[in-house]
Structure formats: structure tokens, C-alpha cells
Amino acid sequence: VAAQNCRKRKLNAILNLEEDVCNLQTQKESLKKEHSQCSRSISQMKQKLNNLYRDIFSRLRDDQGRPLNPCQYVIHCSSDGCVFIIPKHLVKSEQKQDNKKEQKQK
């Protein structure tokens, strides 16, 4: 009787594990689909952002009325919603300073 009960518990444990595996496989497939949808959404957002970036730069002009070169400038949005056009060389030097500060803090 003890052996029979042991086998029954073992069989129940195996059945529960098989059910868990099926549930995890279903969950894995669901997560794969969600990941794929998120990746597509991110790609679409990046494309829209690039289009917006190009559109903005096509309308911007310097003091002499010449179009601004998007290779030389970047659009910076501050946390309060203000938008600035900043020369890239200034942004790179600020990033270097920020990186040095972060390394010193570590």
C-alpha cells in the first residue's frame, strides 16, 4: 500500500510538472508575440521620429536664411518641454563631462 501511494504521488507530481511545462510553453509563445509586437512598435516609432526630425530640419533656417545642416546640429528636448537646437560639438563635450562625473562618482 505504501509503495502504491508512493507511485501515485510520483505520477501526480509528473502530471503536475507536465501541466506546468505546457503552461510555460504557452506563456513563452505569448511573450514571443508580445516581444515581436513591441519590436515592430519601436521600429515604427523610430521611423516616425526620423521623419519628424527630417521635417523639422527641412524648415529650420540660420540667420542668413540657409537651411541648418542636421549633421551639425541636434534637437534637444528638456524635461520642462522646451526644445533647443544645439551644435553637435557642444553636446559631445557635455556628454564627455557627464561621463567623467559619473566615473568619478563610482
Side-chain angles (χ1 to χ4, degrees):
V1 173
Q4 189 176 1
N5 289 340
C6 185
R7 284 191 292 274
K8 195 181 284 188
R9 281 194 307 271
K10 200 64 121 165
L11 184 60
N12 285 337
I14 290 171
L15 292 174
N16 288 336
L17 288 172
E18 287 175 347
E19 185 178 329
D20 289 347
V21 168
C22 286
N23 290 337
L24 289 171
Q25 286 174 338
T26 304
Q27 185 180 4
K28 179 182 174 182
E29 290 303 316
S30 174
L31 289 172
K32 279 183 178 181
K33 287 179 185 176
E34 185 179 346
H35 180 266
S36 178
Q37 289 172 345
C38 289
S39 294
R40 278 194 302 275
S41 179
I42 288 171
S43 295
Q44 289 173 349
M45 291 175 107
K46 283 182 180 180
Q47 185 62 43
K48 286 180 181 180
L49 182 60
N50 285 333
N51 292 342
L52 180 62
Y53 197 83
R54 272 186 262 135
D55 186 43
I56 289 171
F57 269 102
S58 71
R59 297 169 191 233
L60 291 175
R61 302 283 184 253
D62 65 8
D63 296 337
Q64 287 81 33
R66 297 175 299 207
L68 290 179
N69 185 351
C71 296
Q72 296 175 346
Y73 295 90
V74 295
I75 300 172
H76 177 74
C77 301
S78 65
S79 59
D80 63 357
C82 294
V83 178
F84 302 99
I85 306 299
I86 303 173
K88 277 190 176 179
H89 70 274
L90 292 178
V91 174
K92 289 180 181 176
S93 64
E94 287 178 17
Q95 287 175 345
K96 288 179 184 177
Q97 290 174 356
D98 290 344
N99 288 342
K100 287 180 183 177
K101 289 178 185 176
E102 288 176 13
Q103 288 175 352
K104 286 181 181 179
Q105 289 176 352
K106 290 178 181 179

